[in-house]
């Protein structure tokens, strides 16, 4: 009978444990459907990112770039490869950005060329993030000699300068096209993310809720993907945009050196041909300026989005008055 | 306490040599993983210039791989060649030795990239610290936005722009090479000032494209250290603002930034290779470009190895510096 | 007496970008006379630290003084410019921070910290730097060799002493101590508080001691300000707070204190223990369990030695030859300072770590030899753990329902609606009603006490026979502790589980356990019935632990 007194006592004290910080209007229905809840979390994250003005600028810029390349067939005035026009003319009403020395329309090339650059950036960003997640999570979770070994390999990839490595691999695989470019970018681009994600994994795995999940009978596999992984999502997104940015820059660099397939139209190959045809001497600045500027804008948009994503993961970086 | 400090440095030295060995081995494995036979291609190209001596053939095969040969003996020969800087003969610059070519180009790159990187790190760190200290003000906002833009620029594109506008249009700076074609390389004042004039545009490009990451790196770490308790306590003790900013917040933010300096370095070196190509600057970047376009594999491999070793050495120096700057490594 | 500090209608707000500013301190007024030692007491979120920072003008955004004045020596310091304020700090007001661990610059030696202060204020001539610093560190009970040390080479207690001596270098009239000992180990806490009291008497500065612990404050100060929800609800001499508290909140706070050495101890919400009937043996030899289920835990001669981390360092003996039994329904307290090995014992019992020697059995199974996942899993359906930090023990992204459903699915045959019913039943058991509402919540929507209840519910999901509770209330406010302790005690009796209660807090051990073991550096130094041991301790270490507890008597 003493028990019952204690339990009523403690039940009232549970109510008095502190005010519900979110107020009483907690929805029960939404909390139960995992899909809805995931959407809710994503929506909330997106709102947080969107609220940062720099990130908003980045998102709009990225959307514009992606849309303009998607709609290239409708937007571009001419066939990008058809050299039907007078060669090497400056900007005019017919050719807003002039023509190449092969008589192709620069604006059309710019719109079509974006497809390759955006695609390479996204795919290489995605693939290197996947590798980074796999390596980072397992490297952070295992505590053994294998971990030390993985660490050494990752550090080796971090210190070996990536662009020269890309250049020589691409040189061996002459004209392998897009897939080779993506391959070398991914091969040299995963290490940084692995390192970041590994240290986050280590700090998360020392948290009590991870131990508690093991006590709840969950398997290591489930703990990694249900307890640790979701808590690293903002870092992973951050890593994706970072990897995609360097992917875009590397791709442009490799193609500029003529290491891609120089017959496709992309921002990098446009610069390659511009350089090879000495447009610097002919003074066609638009041909030089435009493709590089597009690469820069693509990189800028993703860098700026990351300002918002940072806010999700590092509270001290939250924008605020000093 | 002393012993622990010494242990830190010995540990770093050990790690350096192991990493060096691993990098040299990667350089050995790489061509062997490639389709076709790079060695045969290289020897075939060389033989167009005349008979290939057995020694040259051996060193090329040790470097690039011989499909049927004994891997271990090739590896031994390769290690020996690396130690003696014996990388065979260049095909694209026949009949010069690869090591002579790389040896001639390396000082240009090391001086240019080395100096600019150090300057860039110093300026970037100072700017980043200032921005973090004045967080949220116009200085910070402008700094953040412009460094984000700068680090998003492809280095070679910025090089082309500077070359076009400042070199050709405005005609302020020389447009090609490391010195005037009439000048003879020596250590006279005339030659040095000529060389400096030629290096301004490439240096500016490397500076601008590498600055952003140092600025943002320092800004972000210093915002973190500014929130640390020792900064609050220093303020509570009424220390001078300058002391708090420099000796407390910035000094501690410098350490992680130094580590990232080493890691960013590889990227900076990569970017400067492309810059050299644009400005026709006679460093390893231009040489690598020529090697790649001519498929001069021995030269390519040797350059890659040299660049990697340079970056490793730089990282090693950074590690040592870190050990000097952080008393915690003494524990 | 001369008035030193007068706070008039002070309010501090926290700006938030999209919401109304939050008032942390509201319309607070009080004044301090020179040489007074005043305590500022409140629970977490009461605004006591915010007030301390405002009084010393250290508030940083988003905190902002929105109203009122702080008169220091008759001068309003809320309107001073940064530079005026900086100069004012010498011979003015100093602050010692809560986390003294991190209050020192890791890359500067202690000596340089002193020199920085002297240089900033010019209050000491250059030739006297050394002598002055030596004198100060000796005052706080340190040897002058610490001047050469980097902060990382000092222990937590030493670092906090260095912070105090640095604050003294300012020759302040007012010292604010913000939870100066909270981050330290129990015994060290006691010593550092002793130093602070002595210094205050010796130097005669005015002092404010901010603390969540009414006991510590009453022991040291002459006057107490009680803070609750941003307001000062009571301001009275310590004596009167103890004998004749006026405010209900103060009364409530006081009621949660007790002296574990007393003959009868009780706090509200917890039934007084029937100590005469305390059962269970903690003899040195494992007793034969006569329980039909045989869920007795026996620990025999267990040691745990951690190998040296680096060459040249010694290996660490965390646990040394410990033997005890825990029979069904028994509650056993394991007490000791941090580093005494109590958490290591918990880890070995639950199969997280394996002992170096000795054996551990649960119902005939050898816990110390378990390797396979299957064995560990079956072990953990019988033995569960309650964690110390409720903020870290719940995944912030999972709802309460998810968290509680996992062990149900893993350890029982319940599925679908049955599992859900069981989940709700567990919430009811731990007193989180209405259950449907709590099931849908995420951790950040719960208070610390509510979270800890969820943690307990999760531990119960597998119907365990043994609960290992590792400091389950140490992160909670005093007034919330009783509720959790009552719950644990009630569950133990009702579900007939045995409980190993790990703590450094002897009062809570007295309240909910029958037997006790005192651990010092991995060795059991005293054991017996809790009430007996705490009232009549025999071992020196136990006596030291008991002496470190502030008794609710004022110093006057």
């Amino acid at each position: 009978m003493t028990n019952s007194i204690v339990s009523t006592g403690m039940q009232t004290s549970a109510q008095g444990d502190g005010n519900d910080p979110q107020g009483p209007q907690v929805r029960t229905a939404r909390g139960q459907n995992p899909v809805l809840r995931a959407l809710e979390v994503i929506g909330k994250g997106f709102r947080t990112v969107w609220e940062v003005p720099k990130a908003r600028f980045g998102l709009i810029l990225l959307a514009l770039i992606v849309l303009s390349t998607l709609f290239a067939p409708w937007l571009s005035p001419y066939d990008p490869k058809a050299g039907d026009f007078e060669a090497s003319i400056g900007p005019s009403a017919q050719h807003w950005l002039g023509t190449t020395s092969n008589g192709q329309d620069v604006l059309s090339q710019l719109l079509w060329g974006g497809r390759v650059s955006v695609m390479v950036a996204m795919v290489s960003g995605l693939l290197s993030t996947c590798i980074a997640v796999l390596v980072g999570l397992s490297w952070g979770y295992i505590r053994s000699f294998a971990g030390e070994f993985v660490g050494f390999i990752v550090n080796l990839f971090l210190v070996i300068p990536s662009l020269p490595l890309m250049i020589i691999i691409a040189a061996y695989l002459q004209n392998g096209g897009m897939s080779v470019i993506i391959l070398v970018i991914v091969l040299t681009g995963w290490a940084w993310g692995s390192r970041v994600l590994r240290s986050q994994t280590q700090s998360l795995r020392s948290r009590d809720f991870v131990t508690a999940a093991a006590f709840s009978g969950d398997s290591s596999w489930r703990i990694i993907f249900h307890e640790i992984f979701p808590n690293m999502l903002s870092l992973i997104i951050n890593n994706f945009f970072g990897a995609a940015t360097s992917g875009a820059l590397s791709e442009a660099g490799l193609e500029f050196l003529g290491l891609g397939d120089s017959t496709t139209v992309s921002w990098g190959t446009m610069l390659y041909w511009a350089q090879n045809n000495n447009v610097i001497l002919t003074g066609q600045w638009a041909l030089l300026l435009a493709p590089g500027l597009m690469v820069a804008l693509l990189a800028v948009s993703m860098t700026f989005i990351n300002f918002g994503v940072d806010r999700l993961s590092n509270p001290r970086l939250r924008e605020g008055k000093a | 306490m002393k012993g622990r400090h010494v242990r830190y440095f010995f540990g770093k030295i050990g790690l350096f040599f192991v990493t060096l060995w691993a990098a040299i081995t990667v350089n050995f494995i790489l061509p062997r993983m490639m389709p076709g036979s790079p060695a045969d291609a290289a020897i075939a190209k060389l033989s167009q210039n005349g008979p290939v001596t057995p020694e040259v053939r051996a060193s090329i095969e040790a470097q690039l791989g011989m499909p049927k040969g004994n891997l271990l003996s090739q590896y031994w020969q390769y290690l020996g060649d690396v130690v003696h800087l014996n990388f065979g003969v260049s095909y694209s610059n026949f009949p010069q030795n690869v090591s002579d070519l790389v040896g001639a180009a390396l000082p240009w790159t090391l001086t240019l990239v080395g100096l600019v990187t150090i300057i860039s790190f110093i300026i970037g760190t100072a700017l980043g610290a200032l921005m973090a200290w004045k967080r949220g003000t116009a200085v910070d906002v402008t700094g953040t936005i412009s460094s984000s833009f700068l680090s998003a620029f492809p280095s070679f594109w910025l090089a082309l722009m500077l070359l076009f506008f400042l070199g050709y249009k405005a005609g302020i700076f020389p447009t090609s090479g490391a010195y005037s074609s009439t000048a003879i390389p020596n250590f006279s004042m005339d030659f040095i000032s000529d060389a400096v004039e030629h290096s301004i545009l490439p240096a500016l490009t490397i500076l601008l494209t590498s600055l952003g990451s140092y600025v943002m790196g320092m800004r972000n770490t210093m915002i973190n250290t500014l929130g640390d308790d020792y900064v609050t306590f220093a303020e509570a003790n009424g220390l001078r603002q300058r002391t708090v900013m420099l000796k407390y917040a910035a000094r501690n933010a410098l350490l992680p930034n130094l580590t990232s300096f080493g890691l960013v370095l590889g990227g900076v070196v990569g970017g400067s290779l492309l810059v050299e190509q644009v400005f026709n600057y006679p460093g390893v970047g231009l040489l690598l470009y020529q090697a790649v376009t001519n498929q001069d594999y021995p030269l390519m491999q040797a350059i890659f190895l040299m660049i990697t070793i340079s970056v490793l050495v730089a990282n090693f120096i950074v590690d040592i510096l870190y050990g000097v700057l952080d008393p915690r490594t003494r524990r | 007496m001369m008035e030193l500090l007068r706070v008039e209608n002070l309010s501090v707000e926290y700006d938030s970008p999209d919401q109304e500013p939050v008032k942390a301190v509201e319309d607070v007024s009080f004044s301090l006379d020179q040489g007074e030692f005043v305590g500022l007491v409140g629970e977490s979120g009461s605004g006591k630290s915010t007030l301390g920072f405002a009084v010393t003008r250290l508030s940083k955004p988003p905190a902002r003084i929105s109203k009122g004045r702080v008169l220091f020596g008759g001068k309003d310091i809320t309107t001073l410019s940064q530079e005026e304020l900086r100069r004012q700090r010498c011979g003015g007001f100093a602050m010692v921070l809560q986390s003294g661990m991190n209050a020192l610059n890791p890359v500067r030696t202690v000596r340089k910290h002193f020199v920085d202060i002297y240089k900033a204020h010019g209050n000491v001539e250059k030739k006297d730097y050394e002598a002055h610093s030596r004198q100060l560190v000796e005052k706080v009970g340190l040897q002058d060799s610490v001047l050469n040390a980097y902060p990382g080479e000092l222990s937590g207690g030493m670092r906090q002493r260095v912070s105090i001596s640095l604050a003294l270098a300012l020759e302040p009239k007012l010292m604010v101590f913000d939870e100066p000992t909270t981050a330290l180990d129990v015994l060290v806490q006691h010593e550092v508080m002793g130093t602070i009291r002595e210094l205050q008497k010796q130097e005669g500065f005015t002092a404010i001691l901010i603390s969540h612990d009414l006991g510590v404050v009453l022991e040291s100060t002459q006057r107490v300000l009680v803070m609750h929800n941003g307001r000062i609800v009571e301001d009275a001499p310590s004596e009167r707070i103890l004998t004749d508290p006026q405010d209900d909140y103060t009364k409530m706070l006081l009621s949660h204190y007790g002296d574990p050495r007393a003959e009868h101890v009780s706090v509200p919400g917890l039934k007084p223990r029937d100590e005469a009937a305390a059962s269970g043996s903690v003899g040195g030899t494992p007793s034969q369990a006569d329980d039909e289920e045989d869920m007795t835990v026996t620990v025999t001669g267990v040691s745990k030695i951690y190998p040296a981390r680096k060459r040249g360092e010694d290996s660490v003996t965390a646990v040394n030859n410990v033997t005890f039994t825990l029979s069904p329904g028994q509650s056993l307290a394991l007490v000791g300072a941090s580093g005494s090995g109590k958490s290591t014992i918990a880890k070995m019992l639950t199969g997280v770590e394996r002992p170096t020697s000795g054996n551990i059995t649960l119902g005939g199974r050898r816990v110390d030899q378990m390797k396979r996942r299957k064995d560990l899993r079956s072990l953990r359906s019988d033995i569960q753990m309650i964690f110390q930090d409720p903020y870290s023990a719940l995944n912030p992204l999972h709802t309460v329902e998810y968290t509680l459903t996992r062990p149900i699915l893993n350890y029982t045959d319940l599925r679908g609606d049955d599992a859900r019913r069981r989940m709700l039943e567990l919430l009811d058991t731990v007193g989180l009603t209405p259950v449907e509402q709590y099931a849908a919540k995420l951790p950040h929507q719960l208070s610390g006490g509510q979270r800890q209840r969820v943690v307990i519910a999760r531990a119960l999901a597998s119907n365990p026979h043994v609960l290992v509770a590792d400091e389950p209330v140490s992160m909670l406010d005093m007034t919330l502790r009783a509720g959790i302790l009552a719950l644990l005690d009630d569950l133990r009796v009702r579900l007939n589980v045995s409980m190993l209660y790990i703590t450094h807090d002897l009062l809570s051990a007295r309240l909910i356990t029958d037997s006790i073991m005192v651990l010092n550096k991995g060795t059991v130094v005293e054991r017996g019935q809790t009430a007996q041991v705490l009232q009549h301790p025999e071992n020196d270490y136990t006596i030291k632990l008991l002496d470190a507890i502030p008794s609710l008597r004022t110093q006057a």
Side-chain angles (χ1 to χ4, degrees), chain A residues 31-77:
Chain A
Q32 281 155 22
N33 186 332
V35 178
L36 276 181
R37 228 176 56 69
L39 282 177
E40 196 186 352
V41 169
I42 292 169
K44 219 192 237 162
F46 185 80
R47 228 176 4 244
T48 315
V49 175
W50 182 255
E51 274 164 11
V52 180
K54 282 188 213 112
R56 199 180 310 163
F57 168 78
L59 283 167
I60 293 172
L61 188 59
L62 182 64
L64 283 178
I65 294 171
V66 170
L67 287 179
S68 69
T69 56
L70 273 184
F71 291 104
W74 295 276
L75 290 174
S76 70

Side-chain angles (χ1 to χ4, degrees), chain B residues 169-186:
Chain B
K169 284 279 164 182
I172 309 171
F173 298 105
T175 54
S176 169
Y179 47 86
S180 307
S181 49
T182 54
I184 299 142
N186 56 28

